[in-house]
mmCIF file of all heavy atoms in Angstrom:
data_model
loop_
_atom_site.group_PDB
_atom_site.id
_atom_site.type_symbol
_atom_site.label_atom_id
_atom_site.label_comp_id
_atom_site.label_asym_id
_atom_site.label_seq_id
_atom_site.Cartn_x
_atom_site.Cartn_y
_atom_site.Cartn_z
ATOM 1 N N ILE A 56 93.618 92.273 -183.425
ATOM 2 C CA ILE A 56 93.641 91.292 -184.515
ATOM 3 C C ILE A 56 94.814 90.374 -184.291
ATOM 4 O O ILE A 56 95.939 90.795 -184.029
ATOM 5 C CB ILE A 56 93.777 92.028 -185.883
ATOM 6 C CG1 ILE A 56 92.579 92.935 -186.135
ATOM 7 C CG2 ILE A 56 93.934 91.011 -187.013
ATOM 8 C CD1 ILE A 56 92.699 93.798 -187.348
ATOM 9 N N SER A 104 113.472 90.781 -145.645
ATOM 10 C CA SER A 104 113.927 89.493 -146.218
ATOM 11 C C SER A 104 113.807 88.381 -145.202
ATOM 12 O O SER A 104 114.827 87.917 -144.696
ATOM 13 C CB SER A 104 115.376 89.662 -146.702
ATOM 14 O OG SER A 104 115.481 90.650 -147.676
ATOM 15 N N GLY A 135 110.673 80.667 -118.600
ATOM 16 C CA GLY A 135 110.372 80.698 -120.030
ATOM 17 C C GLY A 135 111.597 80.412 -120.916
ATOM 18 O O GLY A 135 111.480 80.625 -122.129
ATOM 19 N N PRO A 165 122.414 92.557 -121.809
ATOM 20 C CA PRO A 165 123.648 93.278 -121.442
ATOM 21 C C PRO A 165 124.679 93.167 -122.538
ATOM 22 O O PRO A 165 124.448 92.511 -123.561
ATOM 23 C CB PRO A 165 124.094 92.466 -120.214
ATOM 24 C CG PRO A 165 123.693 91.067 -120.532
ATOM 25 C CD PRO A 165 122.395 91.184 -121.300
ATOM 26 N N ASP A 194 105.401 84.346 -118.600
ATOM 27 C CA ASP A 194 104.897 85.405 -117.758
ATOM 28 C C ASP A 194 103.746 86.168 -118.338
ATOM 29 O O ASP A 194 103.336 87.201 -117.815
ATOM 30 C CB ASP A 194 106.023 86.379 -117.368
ATOM 31 C CG ASP A 194 106.733 86.929 -118.613
ATOM 32 O OD1 ASP A 194 106.370 86.562 -119.730
ATOM 33 O OD2 ASP A 194 107.664 87.759 -118.445
ATOM 34 N N VAL A 234 112.411 79.063 -140.234
ATOM 35 C CA VAL A 234 113.636 79.535 -140.948
ATOM 36 C C VAL A 234 114.552 78.362 -141.136
ATOM 37 O O VAL A 234 115.037 77.751 -140.144
ATOM 38 C CB VAL A 234 114.322 80.668 -140.174
ATOM 39 C CG1 VAL A 234 115.608 81.130 -140.881
ATOM 40 C CG2 VAL A 234 113.391 81.847 -139.954
ATOM 41 N N GLY A 263 95.665 79.461 -131.964
ATOM 42 C CA GLY A 263 96.499 79.497 -133.154
ATOM 43 C C GLY A 263 97.656 80.442 -133.096
ATOM 44 O O GLY A 263 98.541 80.436 -133.979
ATOM 45 N N GLY A 267 105.930 79.423 -128.620
ATOM 46 C CA GLY A 267 107.357 79.276 -128.379
ATOM 47 C C GLY A 267 108.198 79.528 -129.617
ATOM 48 O O GLY A 267 107.736 79.337 -130.771
ATOM 49 N N LYS A 316 109.416 113.706 -115.394
ATOM 50 C CA LYS A 316 110.065 113.061 -114.236
ATOM 51 C C LYS A 316 110.123 111.548 -114.496
ATOM 52 O O LYS A 316 109.137 110.929 -114.803
ATOM 53 C CB LYS A 316 109.261 113.377 -112.966
ATOM 54 C CG LYS A 316 109.219 114.851 -112.598
ATOM 55 C CD LYS A 316 108.391 115.077 -111.355
ATOM 56 C CE LYS A 316 108.335 116.567 -111.052
ATOM 57 N NZ LYS A 316 107.476 116.841 -109.858
ATOM 58 N N ALA A 347 116.668 135.033 -86.026
ATOM 59 C CA ALA A 347 117.428 133.903 -85.507
ATOM 60 C C ALA A 347 118.369 133.469 -86.617
ATOM 61 O O ALA A 347 118.028 133.509 -87.787
ATOM 62 C CB ALA A 347 116.484 132.781 -85.095
ATOM 63 N N SER A 365 119.064 133.789 -81.300
ATOM 64 C CA SER A 365 118.458 135.056 -81.552
ATOM 65 C C SER A 365 119.502 136.080 -81.907
ATOM 66 O O SER A 365 120.600 136.155 -81.363
ATOM 67 C CB SER A 365 117.705 135.584 -80.343
ATOM 68 O OG SER A 365 117.142 136.826 -80.588
ATOM 69 N N PRO A 378 102.834 146.799 -89.810
ATOM 70 C CA PRO A 378 101.855 147.732 -90.412
ATOM 71 C C PRO A 378 101.460 148.825 -89.460
ATOM 72 O O PRO A 378 101.158 148.611 -88.287
ATOM 73 C CB PRO A 378 100.724 146.793 -90.762
ATOM 74 C CG PRO A 378 101.342 145.482 -90.973
ATOM 75 C CD PRO A 378 102.445 145.397 -89.927
ATOM 76 N N ARG A 383 111.639 156.480 -90.793
ATOM 77 C CA ARG A 383 112.247 157.727 -91.224
ATOM 78 C C ARG A 383 113.586 157.441 -91.876
ATOM 79 O O ARG A 383 114.374 156.633 -91.389
ATOM 80 C CB ARG A 383 112.434 158.695 -90.031
ATOM 81 C CG ARG A 383 111.115 159.132 -89.416
ATOM 82 C CD ARG A 383 111.350 160.125 -88.289
ATOM 83 N NE ARG A 383 110.077 160.482 -87.664
ATOM 84 C CZ ARG A 383 109.295 161.429 -88.121
ATOM 85 N NH1 ARG A 383 109.592 162.142 -89.214
ATOM 86 N NH2 ARG A 383 108.122 161.732 -87.516
ATOM 87 N N TRP A 394 112.951 146.359 -99.159
ATOM 88 C CA TRP A 394 112.483 145.368 -98.162
ATOM 89 C C TRP A 394 111.073 144.824 -98.349
ATOM 90 O O TRP A 394 110.672 143.916 -97.657
ATOM 91 C CB TRP A 394 112.620 145.971 -96.736
ATOM 92 C CG TRP A 394 114.047 146.255 -96.377
ATOM 93 C CD1 TRP A 394 115.052 145.358 -96.223
ATOM 94 C CD2 TRP A 394 114.636 147.576 -96.159
ATOM 95 N NE1 TRP A 394 116.206 145.990 -95.880
ATOM 96 C CE2 TRP A 394 115.986 147.355 -95.825
ATOM 97 C CE3 TRP A 394 114.152 148.872 -96.176
ATOM 98 C CZ2 TRP A 394 116.868 148.353 -95.529
ATOM 99 C CZ3 TRP A 394 115.011 149.887 -95.898
ATOM 100 C CH2 TRP A 394 116.372 149.662 -95.627
ATOM 101 N N THR A 412 101.511 150.676 -94.983
ATOM 102 C CA THR A 412 100.052 150.624 -95.143
ATOM 103 C C THR A 412 99.493 149.215 -95.404
ATOM 104 O O THR A 412 98.278 149.010 -95.404
ATOM 105 C CB THR A 412 99.650 151.522 -96.322
ATOM 106 O OG1 THR A 412 100.356 151.070 -97.490
ATOM 107 C CG2 THR A 412 99.984 152.966 -96.011
ATOM 108 N N ASP A 418 104.250 135.741 -91.122
ATOM 109 C CA ASP A 418 105.643 135.366 -91.113
ATOM 110 C C ASP A 418 106.566 136.596 -91.228
ATOM 111 O O ASP A 418 107.745 136.466 -91.368
ATOM 112 C CB ASP A 418 105.934 134.369 -92.224
ATOM 113 C CG ASP A 418 105.593 134.921 -93.603
ATOM 114 O OD1 ASP A 418 104.906 135.944 -93.649
ATOM 115 O OD2 ASP A 418 105.949 134.265 -94.579
#
Side-chain angles (χ1 to χ4, degrees):
I56 298 174
S104 300
D194 54 359
V234 178
K316 298 177 181 178
S365 177
R383 296 182 182 276
W394 294 296
T412 58
D418 57 350

